[in-house]
Amino acid sequence: MTETRFEPNIVAFVCNWCSYGGADIAGSMRLKYPSNVKLIRVMCSGRVDPEFIMEAFRNGADGVMVLACHPKDCHYIEGNYKALKRYNMLKPLLDQFNIEQDRLCLDWVSASEGEKFARVSREMNERITKLGPLNWEKAIGPVRSTEVLS
Amino acid sequence: MKEKERLGFFLCECSKNISGTVDVHKIKDELRKLPDVVTAEVTNLYCSADGKAEIIESIKKNKLTKIVIGGCSVKQHEHTFMKVLEEAGLNPYFMQLVNIREHVAWVTDDKDKATAKASALLKAAYHRVQFHEAFEKKEIDANADVLVIGGGLSGCEAALNLASEERKVYLVETHPSLGGQATKYESSFPSLECCSCMILPKLQEVVENPHIELLTYSDVEEVVGFFGNFEATINKKAKYVVPDKCIGCNECLAPCPVEVPNEYDDFLGKRKAIHFQVTGATPYLPVIDKETCLRFKGEDCTKCRDACLFEAINYDDEDEKSTISVGSVVLATGFESFDPALIPNMHYTPDTDVYTALQFERLISNTGPTSGKLLKRDGTKPKSLVMVHCVGSRDKRYKNYCSNICCSVLLKMSSQILEEKLAEGIQITHLYRDMTIGSTGMENMYEKLKQEGVGFIRVANPNDINFNSQNGQIHLTLPEKNLTADMVVLATAMVPNKKAEKLIDMLMLSKDEEGFVMPTHRKIDAVSTPIEGVIVIGSASYPKDITHSIIDGSAAAGKIAFELKPGKKLEIETLVSFIDEEICSGCKTCISICPYKAIGYDSEKGLSVINEILCRGCGSCVVACPSNAITARLFEDNTILAELGGLL
Amino acid sequence: MSDKPKIAIYWCSSCGGCEEAVVDLNEAILDVVDAVDIVFWPVAMDFKYEDVRKYKDGELLASFINGGIRLSEQEEIVKLLRKKSQLVFAFGSCAVMGGIPGLANMTNREGIFTRVYKEIESNDNPENRVPETETKLDGKYDLELPEFYNSVYPLDQIIPVDYYIPGCAPSPETITDAFTAILEGKLPEKGSVLSPAKSLCDTCPRKDTKPDRIEIERFVEPHHYDKLDDGRCFLEAGIICMGPATRGGCGERCINANMPCRGCYGPPNDVKDQGVRMMSALASLIKTDKEEEIPKVIETLPDLIGPLYMYGLPSSILFRRKIK
């Protein structure tokens, strides 16, 4: 009997100037990484709201990545530092909710780092596969209101 | 009520680059079934002329309201398809380009998985695009005039390259004359060219340029506003000398009873209360220094006016404040010398034969306190001279950077002394750490000096040298070798002009750890700053030599000429953020966040307000706002959440 | 039977403070009693559930329900009241967003029962009995207890709610304004919160002292700070004041008592999850940019859910802690 293998659902927020470009380069180099990682483009990692990350976990994501410009390289000067601060505060908060800290990852990927993009995606996929599905709806039991996303 | 959407999907095969892995036809059939989707099409190459025409035709035929394109990277063709939308009569923002090539087809082996991923991304875009709103380009009126703060070489160059009939330049200089620190140098490296001969023509051009309003002996007190619309308040200090009447005869100087140390000679020599900044100053006009003149201490001294045959002295002169409107501000406030008194083991005091490099320039200058004769304080000729490099530089205890020019300056001075025979038979010794002389011709000068018997001793850290003055000589103790000299020159670090600090804060510029103004990017955008319309040039942003200071001035002019065209409106970024007044409580969280200082506080209304001209649309403030009062166009919360929901 | 409109006041998982808040209207309560008939108010009047069941659907003008929902009995009665009322008002933080009882969403029934009925040192429960929904006493009496849910729910996750009256407890002004609006027929659109939409900073007495730039170097708890009464904005000193993410209308009673806001009036209009908004604001204001230093600043705040979700955990995006 074959067991259906757990395929994580991973959302990666990428910024227009750096990590989106890094993902493009990974493509040009035909580097392979798991299709579980799906990208949402924002102009700056500083736009990534912890609310988005919570909604992602709430609605089926098993892992979330925020991929930003390297320190000092942000197109908008310091958006990546904002992202870093929020990420650092969100992690222990998620931990208090018993969402494993490894489910949220922030890393620096420049517009030329195709290899790093593919590697980070692969590694995240492995980590989440080991952790298993988050299945937040099931974990929190029945809730009686209408869903929060449109 | 909002009209129903009519959505269209256009999936590009990209000549098999996509369709080879992603089953676009299967996805097309799936997407067609989604609510409000009127058409889902596939073609070989949507970026081709035919492909683009297909989209336009489909939009018109199907009366589409918004479209989603499955294709290549946003960085490649977002603009292409935005133009297509415009041609088809739709707002260019009514589309979403989904990357299913670089981000799916090219990076996924398994075709089923690739198709599933592409489908998920396209569904996400389907949800997102419905939230897109029509955004139009915006323009505002702008003033093309420019304010240049600082009349040194970089400031003058900027002014000369910008001033024209259609663009007035205001050049404000705190000292009575132009030229900055460069007026102190007798010669310049590498050719020992006479510095004043080199720069005076340029400075004279500034004085004579009808489109430059020159405000010397003046200070900028306030700058408010933003790119295209700055307002600056300038205080023109009273000179007490009438420019139109003074012919520069110097007769007023001798009778003046007041003698004070001359700050333009770095306090080596003396000057009168009425004084020229330096011999050969441009403009050639003396001023009366209010701080030292006897009249301002209550005495009715009229000696200078009595000596003047041209009625050029006016004791009733007053400070004059004026407000000017400009579109751009150039900060060219330059540098000053690090104070060697901060190095305890050097025991530096300003009255010995240990000089800073800037002071020494005056000592060997024809216009200096000794008319260029190299003499000790006691009037005798020095037989030995030690030149110490890196004083206060490259040292975490003091300034942790190299000031670029000092090694070249010390070599230049040595050359000048030998060439002009300022002190026959003098033994010059350099104590250096590294010989950092990257500019043209300096290597030759170095070799020549070595051949001429100038000593070069390499030391680990010149800042560790112990100085001890005894019997008219200076004893230097250091691990490598102990020396005794009649005279010592310290090449001190170049540090930012302290008097400019208030201005820098007023302009909301950022400084790096060493206090220099930070440009937008040290490598690729080194004169712009994050404050739109404010340009920083010369040594205000990093120690530079004359060559690069002047280049900076040209660069500033180029930037401003390109961005601020006389008579043309300024186009501002469309995708910027805005604050809803109904929601904002004035908590000010966002104000701290913005690196462009685009958010200000309106104390009357008690609200924060975003200046759309300065906003770059990064969205950091949107996330920080605890009331959700800020919206980022095209990247609104609802829009991104819709995309997220569609993805999961 | 009078012609006055009928209202009901009911309490679920609550502390009784909201009932007291009604009494806090002082003389004004006489106006209320003049204008309406209170036909159901367990804490103050002797009406039974049966009496409520006898009313026609929609016969009651309004029900004011406070407390969070965590018992099957509470669910049953609020559903009954919804049926019988034209308007339902979620009254007080617990009904609006879960309230302090909502912090029980950090645990579950098993966790609570184990602690309360088994572990507590002063218990005398040798058989380790826990409440059961059905018990036979002495072999002949059938006793029933409501089911104890794993989670606490705000009222609108159990029944549709027409209006929200926020606060722990709502201030007399908030209550009076709400009652006046009802009696004068001047209620805003359904789903509204009956308190000003903007966050507390708008009316805070310390607003003028708030600098344009706030830079947090470390978080400080109020009891570790000795200048609470200097009248300056709390955030400037690193004290967490939920004011920026909390709707106004409370009269700044806590601020005027030199204590930072704890967020009991819930988030401003456009915010759903109060805690994550405040967290974003606080994180954004951290001064240091250094990767190694940022976690150290956050470590000065060992408990995040406490201050950020004190009243709003059940109405947050994640709703509750996952039990491993």
Side-chain angles (χ1 to χ4, degrees):
Chain A
M1 189 173 88
T2 46
E3 236 179 63
T4 42
R5 217 199 113 174
F6 162 54
E7 292 286 359
N9 213 343
I10 300 172
V11 176
F13 288 94
V14 290
C15 70
N16 182 64
W17 305 95
C18 285
S19 40
Y20 186 101
D24 280 355
I25 299 291
S28 316
M29 291 169 74
R30 308 295 196 274
L31 300 172
K32 306 294 182 233
Y33 56 90
S35 63
N36 302 319
V37 177
K38 294 171 220 156
L39 275 50
I40 291 184
R41 170 183 168 244
V42 287
M43 291 312 284
C44 177
S45 55
R47 178 71 191 91
V48 179
D49 198 321
E51 215 175 287
F52 302 160
I53 299 174
M54 282 187 171
E55 291 279 10
F57 285 128
R58 172 76 193 242
N59 288 282
D62 302 301
V64 176
M65 294 201 282
V66 179
L67 300 176
C69 302
H70 286 259
K72 296 211 180 111
D73 291 350
C74 178
H75 182 86
Y76 300 99
I77 322 272
E78 9 172 284
N80 52 355
Y81 292 114
K82 308 278 185 348
L84 181 64
K85 291 173 193 178
R86 291 157 188 161
Y87 160 81
N88 267 296
M89 206 160 177
L90 184 57
K91 270 201 142 173
L93 180 59
L94 290 175
D95 190 50
Q96 277 193 288
F97 278 99
N98 273 343
I99 293 180
E100 297 91 331
Q101 295 213 30
D102 279 348
R103 291 192 185 270
L104 175 62
C105 141
L106 179 137
D107 214 331
W108 318 117
V109 175
S110 81
S112 63
E113 287 180 309
E115 291 229 12
K116 182 167 185 190
F117 183 89
R119 174 174 56 83
V120 164
S121 302
R122 264 181 247 122
E123 287 173 359
M124 183 68 172
N125 191 55
E126 269 169 42
R127 268 202 301 275
I128 303 294
T129 307
K130 277 206 196 86
L131 283 173
L134 178 64
N135 229 334
W136 193 252
E137 279 302 326
K138 192 156 161 253
I140 62 176
V143 177
R144 286 144 169 85
S145 74
T146 53
E147 282 316 294
V148 291
L149 284 188
S150 58
Chain B
M1 205 190 80
K2 203 173 161 221
E3 262 184 46
K4 231 176 158 227
E5 298 276 17
R6 295 177 63 83
L7 303 168
F9 278 96
F10 298 90
L11 306 181
C12 189
E13 287 178 335
C14 201
S15 293
K16 291 252 172 238
N17 272 297
I18 293 179
S19 55
T21 316
V22 174
D23 188 347
V24 285
H25 288 277
K26 177 168 172 228
I27 299 179
K28 174 193 81 174
D29 294 333
E30 274 173 33
L31 295 172
R32 183 73 183 75
K33 298 187 191 136
L34 291 170
D36 296 334
V37 175
V38 170
T39 180
E41 302 169 26
V42 174
T43 212
N44 185 31
L45 225 51
Y46 272 117
C47 54
S48 67
D50 286 339
K52 290 193 269 187
E54 274 178 45
I55 297 180
I56 296 176
E57 209 200 296
S58 178
I59 291 175
K60 292 188 174 151
K61 188 176 92 176
N62 292 302
K63 296 197 185 43
L64 299 179
T65 53
K66 293 187 177 133
I67 68 171
V68 174
I69 301 165
C72 58
S73 171
V74 146
K75 286 174 181 288
Q76 244 194 311
H77 280 304
E78 186 173 54
H79 271 113
T80 313
F81 294 119
M82 282 174 80
K83 282 208 195 75
V84 164
L85 280 174
E86 280 181 317
E87 276 181 62
L90 283 182
N91 186 287
Y93 293 102
F94 281 173
M95 68 148 230
Q96 183 74 353
L97 173 55
V98 180
N99 188 335
I100 54 174
R101 188 181 74 176
E102 284 90 336
H103 293 179
V104 184
W106 281 354
V107 293
T108 316
D109 270 328
D110 184 318
K111 290 191 186 173
D112 288 335
K113 289 190 176 172
T115 306
K117 180 173 175 178
S119 176
L121 290 172
L122 286 160
K123 286 207 186 87
Y126 157 79
H127 282 98
R128 185 195 214 285
V129 84
Q130 298 184 53
F131 283 84
H132 286 202
E133 286 176 26
F135 298 126
E136 308 295 342
K137 287 206 212 292
K138 284 201 205 137
E139 284 181 341
I140 51 150
D141 282 322
N143 187 327
D145 293 345
V146 179
L147 166 63
V148 178
I149 308 179
L153 290 180
S154 59
C156 286
E157 183 72 9
L160 285 171
N161 283 315
L162 280 168
S164 72
E165 230 177 87
E166 303 149 320
R167 191 198 305 275
K168 185 167 178 183
V169 175
Y170 298 89
L171 180 52
V172 176
E173 165 57 51
T174 188
H175 294 126
S177 309
L178 298 169
Q181 303 285 23
T183 54
K184 297 181 182 173
Y185 315 149
E186 171 72 28
S187 62
S188 62
F189 60 82
S191 54
L192 293 188
E193 186 172 345
C194 158
C195 207
S196 24
C197 315
M198 192 173 73
I199 67 175
L200 282 183
K202 214 180 261 289
L203 304 182
Q204 194 59 30
E205 258 187 73
V206 172
V207 171
E208 290 171 6
N209 190 314
H211 307 296
I212 298 180
E213 183 165 326
L214 183 56
L215 296 138
T216 55
Y217 213 47
S218 306
D219 295 305
V220 174
E221 301 208 320
E222 205 189 15
V223 181
V224 293
F226 49 87
F227 186 37
N229 295 277
F230 286 107
E231 258 190 34
T233 309
I234 301 173
N235 182 34
K236 204 165 149 184
K237 297 199 289 250
K239 296 187 176 92
Y240 308 103
V241 176
V242 183
D244 295 335
K245 296 202 175 149
C246 173
I247 62 142
C249 66
N250 285 23
E251 292 295 320
C252 50
L253 301 185
C256 177
V258 176
E259 221 179 37
V260 290
N262 187 358
E263 67 269 38
Y264 301 112
D265 283 340
D266 276 61
F267 305 104
L268 278 187
K270 296 241 197 300
R271 64 159 172 86
K272 302 295 182 79
I274 183 166
H275 63 284
F276 288 84
Q277 178 173 332
V278 69
T279 312
T282 313
Y284 198 58
L285 193 78
V287 299
I288 298 182
D289 168 23
K290 213 164 64 174
E291 307 290 313
T292 50
C293 171
L294 293 177
R295 290 192 63 83
F296 297 92
K297 297 193 172 116
E299 281 185 43
D300 187 28
C301 173
T302 58
K303 295 223 166 65
C304 55
R305 190 176 65 182
D306 295 339
C308 179
L309 300 170
F310 299 93
E311 292 174 7
I313 306 224
N314 171 19
Y315 294 136
D316 295 324
D317 199 4
E318 277 177 359
D319 287 359
E320 204 183 294
K321 268 211 223 293
S322 60
T323 308
I324 58 165
S325 297
V326 293
S328 192
V329 177
V330 179
L331 189 74
T333 46
F335 72 94
E336 54 185 51
S337 167
F338 169 81
D339 184 3
L342 294 171
I343 303 179
N345 37 293
M346 287 194 177
H347 302 111
Y348 172 82
T349 49
D351 49 1
T352 64
D353 279 307
V354 178
Y355 303 95
T356 65
L358 272 178
Q359 273 182 321
F360 198 70
E361 293 278 13
R362 301 313 295 141
L363 206 53
I364 56 173
S365 170
N366 276 320
T367 61
T370 62
S371 303
K373 294 196 207 31
L374 188 53
L375 299 169
K376 286 172 65 170
R377 298 250 184 200
D378 62 10
T380 58
K381 284 201 175 170
K383 294 205 193 63
S384 53
L385 172 64
V386 169
M387 299 195 129
V388 184
H389 296 232
C390 285
V391 174
S393 293
R394 304 176 67 198
D395 192 324
K396 285 197 176 73
R397 296 172 292 179
Y398 310 111
K399 297 290 165 193
N400 200 21
Y401 56 88
C402 164
S403 290
N404 285 319
I405 69 168
C406 331
C407 286
S408 299
V409 166
L410 290 182
L411 294 185
K412 168 203 82 172
M413 288 173 173
S414 303
S415 298
Q416 186 185 329
I417 292 170
L418 296 179
E419 206 130 318
E420 293 175 14
K421 301 186 171 41
L422 296 181
E424 298 272 12
I426 190 171
Q427 174 56 48
I428 305 177
T429 312
H430 285 243
L431 297 176
Y432 73 101
R433 204 168 141 186
D434 291 290
M435 198 50 77
T436 323
I437 48 172
S439 26
T440 318
M442 290 314 296
E443 198 60 41
N444 282 343
M445 186 188 279
Y446 184 30
E447 283 306 308
K448 191 153 175 256
L449 288 171
K450 278 194 266 194
Q451 280 162 22
E452 286 171 356
V454 173
F456 288 93
I457 302 176
R458 196 158 186 187
V459 307
N461 189 346
N463 291 319
D464 290 331
I465 300 174
N466 196 34
F467 282 56
N468 186 8
S469 288
Q470 250 181 28
N471 306 326
Q473 291 211 299
I474 303 130
H475 302 275
L476 296 96
T477 317
L478 52 156
E480 289 81 355
K481 186 177 182 158
N482 290 346
L483 293 171
T484 305
D486 285 336
M487 217 181 231
V488 177
V489 180
L490 305 173
T492 46
M494 287 160 77
V495 300
N497 182 354
K498 270 193 216 64
K499 292 203 212 82
E501 269 175 32
K502 187 162 160 259
L503 253 176
I504 292 170
D505 287 337
M506 212 193 294
L507 290 165
M508 297 189 289
L509 295 168
S510 303
K511 295 189 277 215
D512 65 14
E513 294 141 352
E514 306 287 1
F516 290 103
V517 175
M518 288 253 275
T520 302
H521 195 284
R522 286 270 178 212
K523 305 295 282 183
I524 58 174
D525 205 358
V527 293
S528 308
T529 67
I531 307 303
E532 187 102 39
V534 177
I535 312 285
V536 63
I537 57 178
S539 294
S541 65
Y542 205 70
K544 297 193 182 82
D545 62 1
I546 291 175
T547 309
H548 292 95
S549 300
I550 296 182
I551 289 175
D552 268 12
S554 304
K559 281 252 170 205
I560 295 171
F562 180 68
E563 288 171 355
L564 205 53
K565 300 187 170 69
K568 276 194 98 171
K569 286 188 190 246
L570 267 183
E571 197 184 289
I572 55 179
E573 170 71 60
T574 320
L575 298 181
V576 297
S577 305
F578 60 92
I579 298 179
D580 188 336
E581 276 191 19
E582 305 286 305
I583 306 174
C584 175
S585 64
C587 78
K588 298 188 187 175
T589 306
C590 54
I591 298 181
S592 309
I593 304 296
C594 182
Y596 302 103
K597 310 290 189 293
I599 312 183
Y601 185 67
D602 181 337
S603 34
E604 257 181 62
K605 290 189 182 167
L607 302 171
S608 300
V609 183
I610 293 180
N611 183 331
E612 292 204 358
I613 297 159
L614 301 178
C615 175
R616 306 282 174 95
C618 73
S620 272
C621 57
V622 181
V623 177
C625 178
S627 294
N628 259 354
I630 313 184
T631 308
R633 291 195 175 98
L634 202 60
F635 291 88
E636 302 88 353
D637 278 350
N638 288 340
T639 313
I640 297 178
L641 286 173
E643 188 177 348
L644 180 62
L647 202 57
L648 290 170
Chain C
M1 197 66 139
S2 78
D3 279 333
K4 288 193 281 188
K6 303 179 183 61
I7 67 164
I9 304 175
Y10 184 62
W11 55 358
C12 303
S13 232
S14 74
C15 66
C18 285
E19 264 69 17
E20 287 184 35
V22 175
V23 172
D24 267 349
L25 293 174
N26 298 323
E27 311 84 54
I29 198 163
L30 298 174
D31 299 324
V32 173
V33 173
D34 251 354
V36 298
D37 261 340
I38 304 176
V39 298
F40 183 58
W41 192 6
V43 80
M45 295 173 168
D46 200 27
F47 295 105
K48 310 293 184 204
Y49 293 154
E50 275 315 304
D51 300 318
V52 178
R53 286 197 186 96
K54 287 188 190 137
Y55 289 110
K56 291 199 273 283
D57 286 0
E59 192 173 337
L60 271 55
L61 168 62
S63 285
F64 297 87
I65 303 174
N66 68 76
I69 315 293
R70 79 153 325 135
L71 298 180
S72 55
E73 172 178 349
Q74 293 158 356
E75 181 175 359
E76 188 194 323
I77 301 304
V78 302
K79 282 184 170 162
L80 174 67
L81 286 169
R82 173 76 264 184
K83 232 168 94 140
K84 305 294 180 186
S85 313
Q86 290 166 42
L87 299 171
V88 167
F89 291 78
F91 191 94
S93 302
C94 297
V96 170
M97 18 184 228
I100 291 186
L103 288 172
N105 281 7
M106 295 294 284
T107 177
N108 61 359
R109 174 174 57 212
E110 191 185 323
I112 294 174
F113 280 14
T114 305
R115 174 76 190 139
V116 172
Y117 295 106
K118 296 184 189 170
E119 287 178 2
I120 286 197
E121 292 72 12
S122 52
N123 272 356
D124 181 12
N125 185 10
E127 291 166 50
N128 272 338
R129 296 198 64 186
V130 294
E132 285 152 29
T133 48
E134 284 169 0
T135 313
K136 214 163 181 76
L137 185 65
D138 293 342
K140 37 185 175 157
Y141 301 109
D142 284 318
L143 298 177
E144 279 175 13
L145 282 176
E147 193 183 332
F148 190 98
Y149 296 152
N150 273 320
S151 305
V152 176
Y153 301 92
L155 189 61
D156 66 4
Q157 286 186 23
I158 306 295
I159 54 169
V161 167
D162 297 302
Y163 295 99
Y164 301 85
I165 300 176
C168 178
S171 72
E173 292 78 31
T174 301
I175 299 174
T176 314
D177 287 344
F179 272 10
T180 312
I182 297 166
L183 294 173
E184 290 180 5
K186 287 195 182 135
L187 285 168
E189 63 174 3
K190 286 218 178 144
S192 297
V193 179
L194 300 180
S195 200
K198 290 197 180 188
S199 83
L200 203 62
C201 295
D202 192 38
T203 47
C204 179
R206 299 191 179 203
K207 186 179 185 182
D208 286 336
T209 70
K210 195 168 189 182
D212 282 2
R213 266 202 98 79
I214 290 196
E215 291 173 318
I216 296 178
E217 294 183 66
R218 67 191 198 301
F219 292 105
V220 171
E221 297 205 72
H223 57 275
H224 287 146
Y225 190 65
D226 55 2
K227 298 204 199 78
L228 290 173
D229 54 357
D230 69 358
R232 295 193 63 80
C233 174
F234 292 109
L235 280 170
E236 199 189 16
I239 297 174
I240 296 188
C241 172
M242 290 291 283
T246 305
R247 159 192 308 272
C250 58
E252 294 89 33
R253 296 170 292 180
C254 298
I255 312 289
N256 288 324
N258 294 325
M259 281 300 281
C261 169
R262 301 198 306 179
C264 77
Y265 261 56
N269 261 359
D270 290 73
V271 174
K272 178 182 53 218
D273 182 323
Q274 188 184 25
V276 75
R277 280 264 60 74
M278 194 65 205
M279 188 223 92
S280 295
L282 291 171
S284 305
L285 294 175
I286 290 176
K287 183 176 184 179
T288 178
D289 276 341
K290 301 202 169 92
E291 227 171 315
E292 333 77 62
E293 299 294 325
I294 294 172
K296 291 189 194 150
V297 174
I298 292 164
E299 272 164 32
T300 58
L301 189 60
D303 171 29
L304 288 161
I305 290 194
L308 297 173
Y309 288 104
M310 190 174 293
Y311 296 89
L313 186 57
S315 63
S316 71
I317 295 172
L318 292 174
F319 179 67
R320 62 164 292 120
R321 170 195 258 188
K322 174 171 143 179
I323 304 299
K324 290 193 186 158

